[in-house]
Amino acid sequence: MQNVVLLIHLLLTLSLIGIVLMQRSEGGGLGIGGGGNVMTGRSAATALGKATWALGIGLFATSLILTVIAAQNSSGASVLDRIVDSPAKVESDVSDLPDAGDGLLPPSADDNAPLTPTAD
C-alpha cells in the first residue's frame, strides 16, 4: 500500500513540476504582477492553473496519507527509548596487545628476521 501511494506521490510531483514550468511567466514574484480583471486583481482561471491546483491538492493528500502510513508502521517507541545507560561491552584480549617497547613498526613476515638488510 505504501509503495503504491509513494509511486502516485512521485508521479504527482513530476506532473506538478511540468505543469508549473509550462505556465506563462507574468513577471513580478509572488503573484504581484499579471493582468486579468482590474477590479478584483485576479486573473482568469486557465486550464493550466486549474491543473496546478488539482495536482497540488493531490500532492498534499498523498503527503498526509504517507505520514499516516508511516506513523502506523512505526514501532511505537521513540529512538531515545533505545538508548541504554551503560556503554557497550568491548571484548579485547590483553595478550594480543603489543608491548610498549615495540614501537609503531608493523610486525615483519618473520619475527626472527633482522630489520636491516644484510649484504652478502
Side-chain angles (χ1 to χ4, degrees):
M1 173 74 178
Q2 185 177 6
N3 290 335
V4 173
V5 176
L6 185 61
L7 180 65
I8 293 170
H9 185 77
L10 292 174
L11 290 174
L12 284 172
T13 303
L14 293 174
S15 300
L16 185 62
I17 290 170
I19 291 290
V20 167
L21 289 176
M22 287 192 307
Q23 291 182 9
R24 183 176 65 100
S25 174
E26 297 178 355
L30 300 175
I32 296 171
N37 194 350
V38 178
M39 296 296 283
T40 61
R42 292 185 56 181
S43 61
T46 62
L48 288 177
K50 290 179 182 179
T52 302
W53 273 99
L55 290 173
I57 291 170
L59 189 71
F60 184 75
T62 55
S63 296
L64 287 177
I65 292 170
L66 284 171
T67 302
V68 169
I69 291 173
Q72 289 175 350
N73 291 341
S74 68
S75 63
S78 173
V79 176
L80 297 176
D81 292 339
R82 294 186 219 164
I83 297 175
V84 294
D85 292 334
S86 62
K89 290 185 178 182
V90 178
E91 295 181 17
S92 64
D93 191 8
V94 178
S95 64
D96 291 341
L97 297 176
D99 293 333
D102 286 346
L104 298 176
L105 295 175
S108 61
D110 185 9
D111 289 336
N112 295 330
L115 295 177
T116 56
T118 59
D120 289 332

